[in-house]
Amino acid sequence: MRRVVLILLALTWIVHDGQAAYAENGMQCYSGQLIFTADGESAAELAKIQRAVDRVGDVDSSPIDKTAHLVLLSVDSGGSPADSLIPADEATDICSDLKRARREAIADARSGEALDVTVARRFKCGCNGEISILGQRYYDGAKGPTYVPNDYSASLWGMSQANDVDIDAPEAWSISTGNNNAVVAVIDTGVDYNHPDLQANVWDNPFEIAGDGIDNDSNGFVDDIHGANMVSNNGNPLDDNGHGSHCSGTIGGRGDNGIGVVGVNWTTKIMAVKMLSSGGGGSLYDGARAIDYVTNMKNRGVNVVLSSNSWGWYGTYFDVNVYYAIDRARQAGIGFVAAAGNNASNDDAASTPDKGYPAGYDLANIVSVAAVAENGTLAYFSNYGVTSVDIGAPGTNIYSTWPGNSYKWLNGTSMATPHVSGALMLLKAVNPALTFAQMKDLLFTYGKPLAALSGKTTTGKLLNVNNMLVNAGTPPPGWTPAATPTPLPTNTPTAVPTSTPTPLPTATATATPTPVPVFGAVSGTILADDGRPLSGVRVEVMTRDYQTLGVKLTDAQGRYSIPSIEGPKLYWVRATLSGYTFGGDFSLYHGGTSQVDFLGVRSAYRLNGLVVNPDKSPLAGVAVDAGTLGTAVSDADGKFGFDVPMNFKYQLNVSKSGYVFDYPRRSGQVYGNLTRVFVGSTQ
C-alpha cells in the first residue's frame, strides 16, 4: 500500500525579486596593489592606517587613490602598474595576501585590532581593472571577527540580527565559507538547478554522461546528472513546486556573488532528490526510495555527508520502509536532518495524531529540528519534545531562492531544517575527518542556550554555527565514540564429505561455445529482532519493474542464497514472513556476489510487569494504568502485561490501597519484549 505523505509546507509566503548587491567604482586595480577599506573612518583613523603602512617596508607610503570606501596602496616593485593588471574576474582576498608579520605591524597602530578583521575587504578585478567589492571583514567588539558577503541583507535575519537570536553566521564565515568537496542531498520537491543563486553549487553525478540517454551507472535512472526523480521515476529532479529550492538556498545559496541571498555554506554541493510532486504530496514508498538513492551513491564513492528532509507525516503510523531506509543511511555514515513538524504538538506524547515523522524515529543519525521566531520564542506552529526534538533554528519569515530566478519568504520547521543542514556542511568543510556522530555532538554541545527551548527540546539550544566551527578541531569534552556493535555470530555450515567423482568418458572436442554472461549470487542471513534466526522467510530478487529473478526460503539458521543474478544492475530484494515486518524492498546495486541481511520486526511486543513486596514475594491486586493500552491488575504471582506496538512510548502508573511504591510511575519506549518491576510496601 502506498501511503500518502504531505510535505511540511510553509504557512505564508511573499514574492520578492533579489537585486544585484555589489558596487563598482572607477578605480583601477593592479596586481601590485593592496586595498584597505576606509568606509566610515575618520581622518585621524586614516592617518593611523597610513602611519602603520609606513612601517611596512615593501609598500609605497603614498596612496594612489582613495574614496569614501577604499584606499589603494601600491607595492613598490619598480615596475609600471599599468603593466600588471589583475587577470579578468580574479577574486583576491587581501587577508590571505598580507603576510602575518605585515598584518601585525599594521595592527600595532590600530589599538590591537588586527587589520584582516577590521578594515580588509575582499575584492574582484574586472576585465579592465575596475574594482567590485565582495564581502567585508570587520571586527565587532561584542562578537569578534566577522565576514559579511555582498549578498547578505537584513532579510536573512536567521544569519544575524541585532537581538542576537540568530546562528552567528557572519562570525562563522570569518573562519570558513565552505568548500565543494562534500555533498548534501536535499530530499524534497526537487531543486531548480538553473537558478543563478544555486547553479554553481549543484552536484554533478561523476558516474553519468549527460544527455546520452543511457543509464551509465546502472542505478535505474537515465541521465541522473544532478540527482533523481522518484515521482516520475527518471533522472530529472527539477523543482516544479518551489519548496525544495527554498530549502536549498538556505543550505547553499552561492555567497558573495552579488545577487539574491547567501546560504549558510556558500560553496557546498547539493544533490537533488525529488520524492514530492508539484502539489507537495508524495508516497512514503518514494520517500524510502529517495533515501536509498542517496545511500547507494554514498556506497559508490560520492562524499555524501547528510540529507536534508523538510517533509514528513503526522500520526501514530510507523512506516518500516522509511525507518529502515534511514537506518541503512546510518550504516553508510549519512546523517538525516529532519523537520519536527508544524502542528504545535508534543512529539514526546505516547500517542498523538500530530506526532511528526520521520523526525520522530529513534535512530542515531536523525537530528530533529524545531522552528524559532525572530523574537526568540518557539514558533507558534512548531512541534516540540524534550526527548524527541533536538535543537531549534530560525524558521519564520525565512527569505530564500524560488524557481524562476526569484525569491520568497516562507515559514515552517521546513525552513529551520536547512539552517542546521547548511551549518553541519560548513562544519564538515572545516574538519573533513569528523564522523556524523561527532558532528551531531558538536552541534548539540555548542548550541546557544535559549530560554524558549528549555524543556521543549533535548538540548534547549538554538543552532550556533560559529561556536561549532571554533570548536571543530576536536569533539566536545567527554565525547566517546559509539560502541562498535557486536557482530552477529557466523553460522559455520556443516562440512559435506568430498566424494571422488567417477571419471567421465573423454568427449570429442566441439567448437568453443559463445561465453555466457558472468552471474553472481545474492545471499544473507535473516534474524528476528531478538537475534533468533528466522527460518521459512521468503526472499525474492526482482528487477526494478518487479520481474522475479529468483526466490528462496531461509533455512534453520536463517540463511538463504539465490544464484544466477546478472550484474552489474540495480535490483530490489524483498523478504516476507507472516507475523513479521521487514524494512521494505532493499535497493541493491549488484555487480557480483552480494550479501543482504534483514531484520524481522514483530508486529507486537509484550510489556510485562511484576509487582512484589520488599521481600520479593508477589503482590496481587495492584492496578496498573497504561493509558491508551488500558488497565491491568497484577495476578496471584504479581504479574501483569500488555501487548504493545514497536516504538510505543508507554507510561505505567501503579496503585493499591494501603500501599506505597518505590517508583509508582515508569515510562519509556518499546523496541522489544520488556519487563518492569515495582516494589510496594504497606504504609
Side-chain angles (χ1 to χ4, degrees), residues 112-237:
E113 295 178 358
L115 174 67
D116 60 329
V117 295
T118 304
V119 294
R121 288 193 185 190
R122 292 185 70 242
F123 69 97
K124 181 172 71 174
C125 282
C127 298
N128 58 357
E130 77 277 7
I131 300 167
S132 299
I133 301 171
L134 299 180
Q136 179 178 6
R137 294 179 187 263
Y138 65 94
Y139 188 89
D140 185 307
K143 296 183 176 182
T146 307
Y147 187 0
V148 178
N150 62 16
D151 43 5
Y152 172 82
S153 72
S155 296
L156 304 175
W157 71 266
M159 306 292 183
S160 182
Q161 63 169 336
N163 66 2
D164 208 26
V165 179
D166 55 59
I167 69 171
D168 285 348
E171 293 88 332
W173 294 331
S174 73
I175 300 172
S176 175
T177 57
N179 62 47
N180 59 7
N181 295 325
V183 178
V184 52
V186 176
I187 301 178
D188 211 290
T189 62
V191 175
D192 180 5
Y193 45 74
N194 297 314
H195 196 292
D197 237 358
L198 298 175
Q199 190 174 31
N201 288 347
V202 173
W203 172 74
D204 291 322
N205 184 352
F207 308 115
E208 196 76 7
I209 300 173
D212 67 352
I214 299 172
D215 182 11
N216 304 108
D217 54 10
S218 300
N219 67 354
F221 296 95
V222 174
D223 289 340
D224 54 324
I225 303 302
H226 304 307
N229 185 330
M230 304 300 146
V231 179
S232 302
N233 203 36
N234 61 37
N236 184 9

Side-chain angles (χ1 to χ4, degrees), residues 94-403:
I94 185 174
C95 303
S96 62
D97 287 349
L98 287 176
K99 300 299 182 184
R100 178 181 176 85
R102 294 170 63 194
R103 292 202 305 267
E104 290 177 347
I106 294 175
D108 288 343
R110 298 283 295 165
S111 303
E113 295 178 358
L115 174 67
D116 60 329
V117 295
T118 304
V119 294
R121 288 193 185 190
R122 292 185 70 242
F123 69 97
K124 181 172 71 174
C125 282
C127 298
N128 58 357
E130 77 277 7
I131 300 167
S132 299
I133 301 171
L134 299 180
Q136 179 178 6
R137 294 179 187 263
Y138 65 94
Y139 188 89
D140 185 307
K143 296 183 176 182
T146 307
Y147 187 0
V148 178
N150 62 16
D151 43 5
Y152 172 82
S153 72
S155 296
L156 304 175
W157 71 266
M159 306 292 183
S160 182
Q161 63 169 336
N163 66 2
D164 208 26
V165 179
D166 55 59
I167 69 171
D168 285 348
E171 293 88 332
W173 294 331
S174 73
I175 300 172
S176 175
T177 57
N179 62 47
N180 59 7
N181 295 325
V183 178
V184 52
V186 176
I187 301 178
D188 211 290
T189 62
V191 175
D192 180 5
Y193 45 74
N194 297 314
H195 196 292
D197 237 358
L198 298 175
Q199 190 174 31
N201 288 347
V202 173
W203 172 74
D204 291 322
N205 184 352
F207 308 115
E208 196 76 7
I209 300 173
D212 67 352
I214 299 172
D215 182 11
N216 304 108
D217 54 10
S218 300
N219 67 354
F221 296 95
V222 174
D223 289 340
D224 54 324
I225 303 302
H226 304 307
N229 185 330
M230 304 300 146
V231 179
S232 302
N233 203 36
N234 61 37
N236 184 9
L238 188 65
D239 190 0
D240 53 7
N241 173 279
H243 190 269
S245 297
H246 195 279
C247 294
S248 298
T250 299
I251 294 172
R254 191 73 171 187
D256 240 1
N257 64 350
I259 58 172
V261 298
V262 57
V264 181
N265 188 318
W266 302 5
T267 53
T268 192
K269 284 300 179 184
I270 299 170
M271 177 189 292
V273 188
K274 180 175 174 61
M275 52 80 63
L276 295 166
S277 68
S278 59
S283 74
L284 299 183
Y285 171 78
D286 283 343
R289 291 177 62 214
I291 299 165
D292 275 340
Y293 175 86
V294 177
T295 302
N296 285 333
M297 283 299 178
K298 171 79 170 187
N299 290 335
R300 296 201 62 186
V302 176
N303 186 22
V304 182
V305 176
L306 60 91
S307 63
S308 189
N309 300 272
S310 292
W311 57 274
W313 70 97
Y314 302 111
T316 57
Y317 176 69
F318 188 99
D319 186 83
V320 294
N321 291 318
V322 174
Y323 178 87
Y324 281 109
I326 299 172
D327 193 49
R328 287 191 288 273
R330 178 193 63 80
Q331 295 173 52
I334 303 172
F336 191 91
V337 184
N342 296 338
N343 277 347
S345 63
N346 185 352
D347 279 353
D348 290 345
S351 178
T352 171
D354 296 327
K355 181 178 177 66
Y357 287 103
Y361 286 136
D362 188 13
L363 286 169
N365 60 328
I366 294 179
V367 175
S368 177
V369 185
V372 172
E374 297 100 309
N375 61 3
T377 61
L378 181 72
Y380 72 91
F381 51 79
S382 180
N383 285 16
Y384 56 92
V386 73
T387 63
S388 300
V389 180
D390 296 315
I391 197 165
T396 62
N397 298 318
I398 303 302
Y399 187 60
S400 189
T401 48
W402 197 257

Side-chain angles (χ1 to χ4, degrees), residues 624-632 642:
V624 184
D625 179 9
T628 57
L629 295 178
T631 302
F642 299 92

Side-chain angles (χ1 to χ4, degrees), residues 560-598:
Y560 72 92
S561 180
I562 303 175
S564 303
I565 306 301
E566 183 182 358
K569 288 183 180 178
L570 191 71
Y571 298 103
W572 298 120
V573 184
R574 173 181 294 174
T576 53
L577 180 66
S578 177
Y580 284 84
T581 302
F582 298 89
D585 297 341
F586 191 94
S587 177
L588 169 69
Y589 182 82
H590 180 66
T593 301
S594 300
Q595 180 169 330
V596 178
D597 299 322
F598 284 95

